[in-house]
Amino acid sequence: MTDLSLRQAGAEAPRTGPSLARMPRLWRNLRGSLLAPASIAMALVVWQIASSTVFDPFLVPPPTAVAKAAWPMIVSGEILHDVTISMTRVLVGFIAGSALAIVVGVLIGRIQILHDLFDPIIELLRYLSPTAMIPIAVIWFGIGEMSKYFLIFWGTFFIVLVNTVVGVWRTPAARQRAAECLGASRLEIFLLIVIPSATPFIVTGMRVAMASSFMSIIPAEILAADSGIGYLLQKSSMLLQTDKIFVALITISTLGFLTDRVFRIAVKRMLSRFMLADAGAH
Amino acid sequence: MLEVRDVRKTYGEAADGYVALDGISVDIRPGEFFCLLGPSGCGKSTLLNIIAGFEKVSSGAVSFDGEVVNRAGRDRMMFFQDAGSALLPWLTVEENIRFALRVRRVPKERWGEIVTNHLRMVDLDAHREKLPSQLSGGMRQRLQIARALAVEPRVLLMDEPFAALDAMTRRRMHAQLLEIWQRTGQTIVFVTHDIAEAIALADRIAIMSVGPRSTFLRVIDVDVPRPREMSGAFYAETFGEIEQLLTPEIRRSEARLG
Ligand SMILES: Nc1ncnc2c1ncn2[C@@H]1O[C@H](COP(=O)(O)OP(=O)(O)OP(=O)(O)O)[C@@H](O)[C@H]1O
Ligand SMILES: [Mg+2]
């Protein structure tokens, strides 16, 4: 668990790119809110033209056709129904996986003997992606909700666990020693120093796990479900309804994007102070 | 009284480990300003961490007021060079000090007064609500001083506390530290590799030889009232004496490194 992959870097990378400082104020304020829609609009236009010229519109239905297919699905509540089902699965698995991973992670990170005992197993198990676990999950839990909860849990658990352990390890020694001199008990050091110090790492792990949950729910629902967005994808494919497939794909990406935004806002609201990994770093 | 008795420290296995300290003995008097001076890697931090109780001796012993030191204690407060990692970045200036009082079990009624006094002492009163990341390097060190003093330790252990500061700020910190020390009568063990800093501050300076098997080459008394003029004759004299001791040491370590 000593090697850090890029995603465990803990804090967000500094933004690079042209300096905003020299731009006129109005443009600076509007820039973010204008460019994102513009980017999407541009993609839609290119897609529309490409679908009606280069590609066969049956294989690549243009945005207008996708919208036409989406509308009745929205009105009838079919989409909302599938979204609710998939979201619930993701959230249940994600929350359970994160919670257990944080508890186990701080213990493993703190207690050497637990680390020595569990690290080899974790190092092996974390290479089993949720997709690899689908067949056995179906046998263990059937195609009901439990198998999806389990698969999302599985994917979340190891990502958050590894990040939590690293976060605990990265707690500056000086911070713990200073607290020791001040007279803090072991429990106080654990609760008031180690856990807050590990928070940025835990949050980063959770964000990565959230994104990965949205990726793994789809194969899980394609292979082992009779509801949800993944099932909609599967069903549309069997019926050769490419327009509905695109509706499903857009729904997934929008859902993942929005959830990540909500997560970021929540973190900013509640944990922003803890996200300053090190006061020394400007 | 802080007694260091024939302290030896070996890192790694006894047979083929690295002998960092080889028989160090000194009595540090109550209220004394004691400097540990030596080239990089000679074992200053090692000795300080042993006195603090963070590191174990391989043989010998450190005792404080007759009690053997074997873990961190509330009467000995370590002060770190990297204030950024020693402070709690998620707490404001004021909360950082309150944290110290809380874990020290100081009665809550007294917090307000202690916080105000100590922040005034280091000129941070106007910055109570700021987070450590919003302070300059010198301000962070001052906050660390205020936090350390707020719990009234009897010994302050300082490991190159001002090494990362610019010369001007460092001078100011020296004056402030001396002023606080003279007022509180605390014992200070101060690590530095800056000869001038040691002469400016210390009652006694222990000169350490390069490792492995580092020992005290000599302990020099600096019997000159403060504030000390950098241009004084004693200054050049002491500086020369220390340099004479250290130059062959540094040459020796360079020769070994090839
Ligand atoms: N945990 C450790 N394991 C092995 N060797 C160590 C350890 N800590 C220190 N040493 C070695 O002990 C010697 C003394 O280290 P120490 O950090 O005490 O030096 P120092 O005098 O504080 O140096 P500097 O001025 O650079 O801070 C060094 O050679 C170092 O490599
Ligand atoms: Mg050192």
Side-chain angles (χ1 to χ4, degrees):
Chain A
M1 252 191 255
T2 39
D3 61 317
L4 291 178
S5 65
L6 276 176
R7 60 173 187 239
Q8 289 155 1
E12 273 181 51
R15 286 184 66 142
T16 51
S19 155
L20 294 178
R22 261 171 297 153
M23 297 182 188
R25 202 194 173 90
L26 179 66
W27 173 232
R28 219 187 309 155
N29 290 341
L30 286 175
R31 193 172 180 268
S33 39
L34 282 181
L35 282 191
S39 153
I40 290 168
M42 198 171 68
L44 288 177
V45 169
V46 171
W47 175 9
Q48 180 78 37
I49 294 169
S51 295
S52 40
T53 55
V54 188
F55 300 115
D56 179 344
F58 172 72
L59 295 179
V60 185
T64 44
V66 174
K68 212 176 284 167
W71 185 244
M73 297 167 79
I74 294 170
V75 174
S76 69
E78 183 190 351
I79 285 266
L80 185 68
H81 178 72
D82 284 327
V83 163
T84 313
I85 287 175
S86 296
M87 266 313 270
T88 309
R89 289 167 178 163
V90 165
L91 287 182
V92 170
F94 173 77
I95 291 170
S98 299
L100 190 68
I102 291 169
V103 172
V104 174
V106 292
L107 291 176
I108 287 182
R110 207 56 190 159
I111 303 171
Q112 188 62 38
I113 179 79
L114 285 184
H115 173 260
D116 296 346
L117 220 53
F118 287 108
D119 186 51
I121 313 170
I122 293 164
E123 279 300 290
L124 289 173
L125 291 184
R126 77 187 182 107
Y127 291 99
L128 296 175
S129 68
T131 312
M133 297 302 286
I134 293 175
I136 197 68
V138 172
I139 294 175
W140 286 346
F141 304 108
I143 64 161
E145 294 310 292
M146 203 54 206
S147 57
K148 264 71 68 187
Y149 295 161
F150 168 77
L151 291 167
I152 299 300
F153 170 92
W154 183 269
T156 302
F157 179 77
F158 292 102
I159 298 174
V160 178
L161 180 72
V162 170
N163 280 275
T164 305
V165 173
V166 171
V168 169
W169 280 357
R170 289 286 183 85
T171 304
R175 198 170 289 161
Q176 296 180 57
R177 288 179 161 185
E180 244 176 84
C181 289
L182 292 169
S185 66
R186 285 178 65 91
L187 185 66
E188 281 172 328
I189 291 179
F190 185 64
L191 295 177
L192 303 177
I193 306 281
V194 174
I195 291 185
S197 296
T199 298
F201 292 83
I202 297 174
V203 167
T204 304
M206 286 174 72
R207 262 189 79 191
V208 174
M210 176 68 88
S212 119
S213 297
F214 275 99
M215 294 183 200
S216 20
I217 188 65
I218 300 308
E221 287 177 342
I222 287 178
L223 293 174
D226 51 16
S227 58
I229 303 289
Y231 177 70
L232 170 65
L233 211 48
Q234 158 79 349
K235 190 176 60 184
S236 313
S237 171
M238 305 282 266
L239 300 173
L240 296 179
Q241 295 166 324
T242 47
D243 50 357
K244 281 195 168 187
I245 290 184
F246 273 81
V247 173
L249 292 176
I250 290 171
T251 308
I252 295 161
S253 53
T254 312
L255 216 53
F257 174 81
L258 289 180
T259 314
D260 185 61
R261 279 299 140 117
V262 170
F263 188 75
R264 271 163 66 170
I265 291 168
V267 165
K268 208 169 174 182
R269 279 273 170 88
M270 297 187 293
L271 297 173
S272 65
R273 271 190 178 199
F274 297 97
M275 299 310 284
L276 302 161
D278 180 359
H282 279 279
Chain B
M1 176 92 91
L2 198 56
E3 288 168 80
V4 180
R5 279 283 156 276
D6 203 27
V7 162
R8 261 162 245 274
K9 174 71 184 179
T10 308
Y11 284 111
E13 293 305 311
D16 56 352
Y18 180 86
V19 183
L21 303 175
D22 191 17
I24 289 195
S25 298
V26 66
D27 287 347
I28 298 169
R29 298 184 288 264
E32 181 172 17
F33 200 127
F34 191 88
C35 259
L36 292 171
L37 178 68
S40 180
C42 72
K44 304 180 294 293
S45 299
T46 302
L47 182 55
L48 203 67
N49 283 329
I50 287 174
I51 296 175
F54 297 142
E55 295 266 9
K56 300 231 174 313
V57 295
S58 303
S59 73
V62 173
S63 58
F64 180 63
D65 282 349
E67 256 181 74
V68 173
V69 168
N70 48 23
R71 59 196 183 89
R74 308 160 143 236
D75 37 25
R76 287 159 286 122
M77 181 72 214
M78 181 66 113
F79 186 95
F80 298 88
Q81 181 184 334
D82 180 9
S85 62
L87 296 167
L88 307 183
W90 54 86
L91 298 183
T92 62
V93 166
E94 179 176 352
E95 289 166 340
N96 260 286
I97 296 188
R98 291 229 296 256
F99 170 83
L101 300 174
R102 171 178 175 190
V103 298
R104 183 57 71 114
R105 311 274 182 275
V106 173
K108 230 177 179 152
E109 314 80 80
R110 296 184 45 215
W111 289 10
E113 176 206 334
I114 298 178
V115 168
T116 305
N117 284 347
H118 286 82
L119 286 180
R120 286 221 181 106
M121 180 163 71
V122 296
D123 294 329
L124 282 177
D125 204 25
H127 306 277
R128 282 171 173 255
E129 304 301 324
K130 289 189 178 165
L131 292 171
S133 57
Q134 297 164 327
L135 303 177
S136 72
M139 289 160 89
R140 282 203 285 265
Q141 281 305 24
R142 288 187 342 237
L143 174 57
Q144 205 190 169
I145 293 184
R147 186 181 71 169
L149 296 177
V151 299
E152 298 176 352
R154 299 183 38 215
V155 181
L156 266 182
L157 306 171
M158 311 183 90
D159 193 352
E160 307 195 30
F162 310 135
L165 304 180
D166 63 278
M168 209 117 78
T169 313
R170 193 179 323 148
R171 272 264 207 101
R172 251 206 345 263
M173 298 298 298
H174 287 166
Q176 265 180 339
L177 179 64
L178 284 175
E179 197 238 311
I180 289 166
W181 168 70
Q182 279 163 341
R183 197 146 39 81
T184 58
Q186 274 148 336
T187 310
I188 297 183
V189 184
F190 189 104
V191 166
T192 180
H193 53 233
D194 178 351
I195 301 178
E197 184 171 49
I199 300 176
L201 297 173
D203 287 326
R204 281 195 295 166
I205 304 171
I207 320 285
M208 295 178 73
S209 61
V210 293
R213 303 186 169 282
S214 175
T215 53
F216 282 179
L217 289 172
R218 189 180 301 171
V219 179
I220 296 178
D221 273 292
V222 189
D223 225 348
V224 179
R226 302 179 183 83
R228 293 168 177 164
E229 289 298 323
M230 299 268 256
S231 50
F234 94 93
Y235 193 90
E237 209 173 284
T238 317
F239 202 102
E241 184 183 353
I242 296 174
E243 269 221 306
Q244 238 169 23
L245 282 167
L246 284 180
T247 311
E249 287 300 314
I250 291 165
R251 209 169 283 144
R252 208 154 62 84
S253 83
E254 278 167 358
R256 196 174 322 115
L257 294 174

